[in-house]
Amino acid sequence: MKKGFRKLFYLIAAVLLVFLSLPVQDVQAARALDIAAQRGYKLEERYQPAGSIITEINTGMILWEEDAQRVWPPASMTKLMTVLVAYDAMAEGKFTLDTEVQVTEKYADIASRYAMSNNNMKMGASYTVGELIKLIIVPSSAAATYMLADMVEPDAAKFVDLMNEKAKEIGMTQTTYYNSVGVQNELLFPYHPEGIPLDSDNATSPQDYAIMCSYFVKTYPDILNHTAAPEITIKEGTPYEEKFISHQISLEGAKYGLEGTDGLKTGSSDTAGFNYCSTAKRGDTRLVEIVMGVSTWDDQTGEELRHLVGNAIMEQAFEKYEYRKVLPKGTHTIGGEKIITEEDLWDCVSKEKEPVFVLEKGQVRVEAERKFLPGYEAPVVAFQLVSELKKNKIKHVLLQILKIIGMLLAFAVLLIIARILYVYYRKQQRRKRRRKRRRR
């Protein structure tokens, strides 16, 4: 009986040892507000985000998430999708960053509405598409948003269709847009999309915006040229000159600047509270962060304090993870097998432990328990077993030898045929000469 218990004990111990030896992604035990507190930011409960997520841009690996699939109004972060659809149009050759757009009565009217973020659009002024993008990103101008959207599709309802089609195309499953600006449609009357209720409010999730921001920066990295500056001047030296300070105060050089931060945009409203999406790069590691639903609209301190919470979890992610070359191309021994890879393997891994690799279906990858954004999976590179390469090399050599032998045999046969034909030809010639002599 004792022997049986001893065997069971050893078996359980062995299973636990194997389990504990497996590399796993760090368990997230604290809330965003708790991480902020650990870093010296003692904030009240109302500054706990409704949802947040941090991902690595190349792999889509989730480094932090808290209620990341919670549906929430994006507010003015909506305008990022408007700009993304415009970048698609530029890629199709419809217009360029230097294309000029005139201010009309419609745009001047929208710019005069104080219930929305805007800039001072005056009749007679014109703006390049590049300037419009900066006005959308920094002061979050609703008028500039309409000017850019109309360049793509002047029918507001059809433009919203393009936004929703793009969201579906890139895998945003919890997102529905009702306008290009991020306010309720009643504030846009009479320029709101027809056929959509006036009380409609755009909806998305932190996870969906992580998908969108990752896609945007990877597909059109030029967007960072429009999002990185903490302050901008538009139409400098003209009667229409305006200066703006970015609401994204996690940007390098801004009030709560975080190292490497160069984008993207904030969003706030009476239904959303205070949101922002950010991206930062240090070395080869670029992270994307979405923070949504910090405090409420009547608490304007939330506009700044969302960045303290976001910076805290972002800094933690940079401290724990990095995107790097984990396996250089060449010869390696993994799991007792000697392999050769012809490409470097890059992955997002923990800084605290060396990665463990696994071979699977002719590919090598990092072995770890982790989560990815929808549409992403662990990076892999193909490999070949050295033993198989040797066998293949021997086969190749044998095939080459057989090929040479075959060529020699074919050459020999040709020589024999040529000899036979030559002998036959000589005989025919001699016969002709004999016939001629007899005739004489």
Side-chain angles (χ1 to χ4, degrees), residues 280-313:
K281 185 177 183 183
R282 299 180 188 176
D284 293 315
T285 306
R286 178 175 285 282
L287 305 185
V288 168
E289 174 185 49
I290 314 297
V291 174
M292 302 187 79
V294 173
S295 196
T296 56
W297 183 247
D298 58 354
D299 172 25
Q300 287 295 302
T301 57
E303 184 173 32
E304 288 195 356
L305 296 186
R306 62 185 165 189
H307 295 276
L308 294 182
V309 180
N311 285 358
I313 57 175

Short mmCIF file of all heavy atoms in Angstrom, two decimals, residues 280-313:
data_model
loop_
_atom_site.label_atom_id
_atom_site.label_comp_id
_atom_site.label_asym_id
_atom_site.label_seq_id
_atom_site.Cartn_x
_atom_site.Cartn_y
_atom_site.Cartn_z
N ALA A 280 3.77 53.63 -28.87
CA ALA A 280 5.12 54.05 -28.49
C ALA A 280 6.12 53.00 -28.97
O ALA A 280 5.82 51.80 -29.01
CB ALA A 280 5.22 54.22 -26.98
N LYS A 281 7.32 53.48 -29.33
CA LYS A 281 8.36 52.57 -29.81
C LYS A 281 9.65 52.81 -29.04
O LYS A 281 10.10 53.94 -28.88
CB LYS A 281 8.61 52.78 -31.31
CG LYS A 281 9.60 51.77 -31.89
CD LYS A 281 9.77 51.96 -33.39
CE LYS A 281 10.71 50.89 -33.96
NZ LYS A 281 10.95 51.08 -35.40
N ARG A 282 10.24 51.70 -28.58
CA ARG A 282 11.55 51.72 -27.94
C ARG A 282 12.38 50.60 -28.57
O ARG A 282 12.02 49.42 -28.45
CB ARG A 282 11.44 51.52 -26.43
CG ARG A 282 10.63 52.61 -25.74
CD ARG A 282 10.53 52.38 -24.24
NE ARG A 282 9.60 53.31 -23.62
CZ ARG A 282 9.28 53.29 -22.33
NH1 ARG A 282 9.83 52.38 -21.52
NH2 ARG A 282 8.42 54.17 -21.85
N GLY A 283 13.46 50.98 -29.23
CA GLY A 283 14.24 49.98 -29.96
C GLY A 283 13.41 49.36 -31.05
O GLY A 283 12.80 50.07 -31.87
N ASP A 284 13.32 48.03 -31.09
CA ASP A 284 12.52 47.33 -32.09
C ASP A 284 11.11 47.04 -31.61
O ASP A 284 10.32 46.43 -32.33
CB ASP A 284 13.20 46.00 -32.47
CG ASP A 284 14.51 46.20 -33.20
OD1 ASP A 284 14.55 47.04 -34.12
OD2 ASP A 284 15.51 45.53 -32.85
N THR A 285 10.79 47.48 -30.39
CA THR A 285 9.50 47.15 -29.79
C THR A 285 8.52 48.32 -29.93
O THR A 285 8.77 49.41 -29.42
CB THR A 285 9.66 46.81 -28.30
OG1 THR A 285 10.63 45.78 -28.15
CG2 THR A 285 8.34 46.35 -27.69
N ARG A 286 7.43 48.10 -30.65
CA ARG A 286 6.36 49.09 -30.73
C ARG A 286 5.09 48.51 -30.12
O ARG A 286 4.64 47.43 -30.52
CB ARG A 286 6.08 49.53 -32.18
CG ARG A 286 4.92 50.54 -32.25
CD ARG A 286 4.68 51.10 -33.63
NE ARG A 286 5.68 52.08 -34.02
CZ ARG A 286 5.71 53.35 -33.62
NH1 ARG A 286 4.80 53.78 -32.73
NH2 ARG A 286 6.65 54.16 -34.05
N LEU A 287 4.54 49.22 -29.16
CA LEU A 287 3.32 48.79 -28.49
C LEU A 287 2.15 49.71 -28.86
O LEU A 287 2.35 50.88 -29.17
CB LEU A 287 3.50 48.80 -26.97
CG LEU A 287 4.68 47.99 -26.40
CD1 LEU A 287 4.63 48.02 -24.87
CD2 LEU A 287 4.68 46.57 -26.92
N VAL A 288 0.96 49.14 -28.81
CA VAL A 288 -0.28 49.89 -29.05
C VAL A 288 -1.12 49.77 -27.79
O VAL A 288 -1.29 48.68 -27.23
CB VAL A 288 -1.03 49.32 -30.27
CG1 VAL A 288 -2.45 49.90 -30.34
CG2 VAL A 288 -0.27 49.61 -31.55
N GLU A 289 -1.67 50.89 -27.34
CA GLU A 289 -2.45 50.92 -26.11
C GLU A 289 -3.79 51.61 -26.35
O GLU A 289 -3.86 52.64 -27.01
CB GLU A 289 -1.68 51.68 -25.02
CG GLU A 289 -2.48 51.90 -23.74
CD GLU A 289 -1.75 52.77 -22.75
OE1 GLU A 289 -1.24 53.85 -23.13
OE2 GLU A 289 -1.68 52.39 -21.57
N ILE A 290 -4.85 51.02 -25.80
CA ILE A 290 -6.17 51.62 -25.85
C ILE A 290 -6.70 51.72 -24.42
O ILE A 290 -6.72 50.72 -23.69
CB ILE A 290 -7.16 50.79 -26.69
CG1 ILE A 290 -6.54 50.37 -28.03
CG2 ILE A 290 -8.46 51.56 -26.90
CD1 ILE A 290 -6.16 51.49 -28.95
N VAL A 291 -7.10 52.91 -24.02
CA VAL A 291 -7.70 53.14 -22.69
C VAL A 291 -9.06 53.80 -22.93
O VAL A 291 -9.14 54.84 -23.59
CB VAL A 291 -6.80 54.04 -21.83
CG1 VAL A 291 -7.50 54.38 -20.51
CG2 VAL A 291 -5.46 53.36 -21.55
N MET A 292 -10.13 53.23 -22.37
CA MET A 292 -11.47 53.76 -22.62
C MET A 292 -12.25 53.90 -21.31
O MET A 292 -12.11 53.08 -20.39
CB MET A 292 -12.23 52.85 -23.59
CG MET A 292 -11.54 52.66 -24.93
SD MET A 292 -12.52 51.77 -26.15
CE MET A 292 -13.60 53.09 -26.70
N GLY A 293 -13.05 54.95 -21.26
CA GLY A 293 -14.00 55.11 -20.17
C GLY A 293 -13.39 55.50 -18.85
O GLY A 293 -13.77 54.97 -17.80
N VAL A 294 -12.46 56.46 -18.85
CA VAL A 294 -11.91 56.99 -17.60
C VAL A 294 -12.81 58.13 -17.11
O VAL A 294 -13.01 59.11 -17.83
CB VAL A 294 -10.46 57.49 -17.79
CG1 VAL A 294 -9.97 58.18 -16.53
CG2 VAL A 294 -9.55 56.32 -18.15
N SER A 295 -13.36 57.99 -15.91
CA SER A 295 -14.22 58.98 -15.28
C SER A 295 -15.42 59.34 -16.18
O SER A 295 -15.80 58.57 -17.06
CB SER A 295 -13.42 60.23 -14.90
OG SER A 295 -14.15 61.01 -13.98
N THR A 296 -16.00 60.51 -15.94
CA THR A 296 -17.18 60.95 -16.69
C THR A 296 -16.96 62.36 -17.21
O THR A 296 -16.07 63.09 -16.77
CB THR A 296 -18.43 60.93 -15.79
OG1 THR A 296 -18.20 61.74 -14.64
CG2 THR A 296 -18.77 59.51 -15.36
N TRP A 297 -17.82 62.75 -18.14
CA TRP A 297 -17.68 64.03 -18.83
C TRP A 297 -17.71 65.23 -17.88
O TRP A 297 -17.04 66.24 -18.12
CB TRP A 297 -18.79 64.14 -19.87
CG TRP A 297 -18.73 65.37 -20.72
CD1 TRP A 297 -19.63 66.39 -20.72
CD2 TRP A 297 -17.74 65.73 -21.68
NE1 TRP A 297 -19.28 67.36 -21.63
CE2 TRP A 297 -18.11 66.97 -22.24
CE3 TRP A 297 -16.57 65.12 -22.13
CZ2 TRP A 297 -17.36 67.62 -23.21
CZ3 TRP A 297 -15.82 65.76 -23.10
CH2 TRP A 297 -16.20 66.99 -23.63
N ASP A 298 -18.48 65.13 -16.79
CA ASP A 298 -18.58 66.28 -15.87
C ASP A 298 -17.36 66.39 -14.97
O ASP A 298 -17.24 67.35 -14.20
CB ASP A 298 -19.86 66.18 -15.04
CG ASP A 298 -19.95 64.89 -14.24
OD1 ASP A 298 -19.08 64.01 -14.41
OD2 ASP A 298 -20.91 64.75 -13.45
N ASP A 299 -16.43 65.43 -15.05
CA ASP A 299 -15.19 65.48 -14.28
C ASP A 299 -14.04 65.71 -15.25
O ASP A 299 -13.42 64.77 -15.73
CB ASP A 299 -14.99 64.17 -13.51
CG ASP A 299 -13.62 64.08 -12.84
OD1 ASP A 299 -13.03 65.14 -12.55
OD2 ASP A 299 -13.15 62.94 -12.63
N GLN A 300 -13.76 66.97 -15.57
CA GLN A 300 -12.78 67.29 -16.61
C GLN A 300 -11.34 66.94 -16.23
O GLN A 300 -10.46 66.93 -17.09
CB GLN A 300 -12.88 68.77 -16.99
CG GLN A 300 -14.13 69.10 -17.80
CD GLN A 300 -14.15 68.43 -19.17
OE1 GLN A 300 -13.25 68.62 -19.98
NE2 GLN A 300 -15.19 67.63 -19.43
N THR A 301 -11.10 66.60 -14.97
CA THR A 301 -9.74 66.14 -14.61
C THR A 301 -9.42 64.80 -15.26
O THR A 301 -8.27 64.44 -15.43
CB THR A 301 -9.60 65.99 -13.08
OG1 THR A 301 -10.59 65.08 -12.60
CG2 THR A 301 -9.74 67.33 -12.39
N GLY A 302 -10.47 64.09 -15.66
CA GLY A 302 -10.27 62.80 -16.34
C GLY A 302 -9.51 62.95 -17.64
O GLY A 302 -8.83 62.01 -18.09
N GLU A 303 -9.61 64.13 -18.27
CA GLU A 303 -8.92 64.36 -19.54
C GLU A 303 -7.40 64.19 -19.39
O GLU A 303 -6.74 63.71 -20.31
CB GLU A 303 -9.26 65.75 -20.07
CG GLU A 303 -8.64 66.03 -21.44
CD GLU A 303 -9.13 67.34 -22.03
OE1 GLU A 303 -9.41 68.28 -21.26
OE2 GLU A 303 -9.26 67.41 -23.27
N GLU A 304 -6.86 64.62 -18.25
CA GLU A 304 -5.42 64.48 -18.01
C GLU A 304 -5.09 63.17 -17.29
O GLU A 304 -4.12 62.50 -17.64
CB GLU A 304 -4.90 65.66 -17.20
CG GLU A 304 -4.83 66.96 -17.98
CD GLU A 304 -3.97 68.01 -17.29
OE1 GLU A 304 -3.49 67.76 -16.16
OE2 GLU A 304 -3.78 69.09 -17.89
N LEU A 305 -5.89 62.82 -16.29
CA LEU A 305 -5.54 61.67 -15.45
C LEU A 305 -5.64 60.34 -16.17
O LEU A 305 -5.02 59.36 -15.74
CB LEU A 305 -6.41 61.67 -14.19
CG LEU A 305 -6.21 62.89 -13.27
CD1 LEU A 305 -7.01 62.72 -11.99
CD2 LEU A 305 -4.74 63.10 -12.95
N ARG A 306 -6.39 60.26 -17.29
CA ARG A 306 -6.40 59.02 -18.07
C ARG A 306 -4.99 58.66 -18.50
O ARG A 306 -4.65 57.48 -18.65
CB ARG A 306 -7.31 59.17 -19.30
CG ARG A 306 -6.85 60.25 -20.29
CD ARG A 306 -7.81 60.48 -21.43
NE ARG A 306 -7.51 61.72 -22.13
CZ ARG A 306 -8.29 62.26 -23.07
NH1 ARG A 306 -9.41 61.66 -23.42
NH2 ARG A 306 -7.95 63.40 -23.65
N HIS A 307 -4.15 59.68 -18.72
CA HIS A 307 -2.79 59.43 -19.21
C HIS A 307 -1.88 58.89 -18.11
O HIS A 307 -0.94 58.14 -18.40
CB HIS A 307 -2.22 60.71 -19.81
CG HIS A 307 -2.95 61.16 -21.04
ND1 HIS A 307 -2.67 60.67 -22.29
CD2 HIS A 307 -3.98 62.02 -21.19
CE1 HIS A 307 -3.48 61.21 -23.17
NE2 HIS A 307 -4.29 62.04 -22.53
N LEU A 308 -2.13 59.24 -16.86
CA LEU A 308 -1.34 58.66 -15.78
C LEU A 308 -1.63 57.17 -15.66
O LEU A 308 -0.71 56.36 -15.45
CB LEU A 308 -1.66 59.37 -14.46
CG LEU A 308 -1.25 60.85 -14.36
CD1 LEU A 308 -1.59 61.39 -12.98
CD2 LEU A 308 0.23 61.01 -14.65
N VAL A 309 -2.89 56.80 -15.78
CA VAL A 309 -3.27 55.38 -15.73
C VAL A 309 -2.67 54.64 -16.94
O VAL A 309 -2.04 53.59 -16.80
CB VAL A 309 -4.80 55.21 -15.71
CG1 VAL A 309 -5.17 53.73 -15.67
CG2 VAL A 309 -5.40 55.93 -14.51
N GLY A 310 -2.86 55.21 -18.13
CA GLY A 310 -2.34 54.58 -19.34
C GLY A 310 -0.83 54.47 -19.34
O GLY A 310 -0.26 53.45 -19.74
N ASN A 311 -0.15 55.52 -18.89
CA ASN A 311 1.32 55.48 -18.84
C ASN A 311 1.82 54.40 -17.89
O ASN A 311 2.85 53.76 -18.15
CB ASN A 311 1.87 56.84 -18.39
CG ASN A 311 1.79 57.90 -19.47
OD1 ASN A 311 1.35 57.63 -20.58
ND2 ASN A 311 2.21 59.11 -19.15
N ALA A 312 1.11 54.20 -16.78
CA ALA A 312 1.54 53.20 -15.80
C ALA A 312 1.53 51.80 -16.38
O ALA A 312 2.50 51.05 -16.25
CB ALA A 312 0.64 53.28 -14.56
N ILE A 313 0.45 51.43 -17.06
CA ILE A 313 0.39 50.06 -17.61
C ILE A 313 1.28 49.93 -18.84
O ILE A 313 1.82 48.86 -19.12
CB ILE A 313 -1.07 49.64 -17.91
CG1 ILE A 313 -1.76 50.61 -18.88
CG2 ILE A 313 -1.86 49.50 -16.62
CD1 ILE A 313 -3.17 50.17 -19.29
#
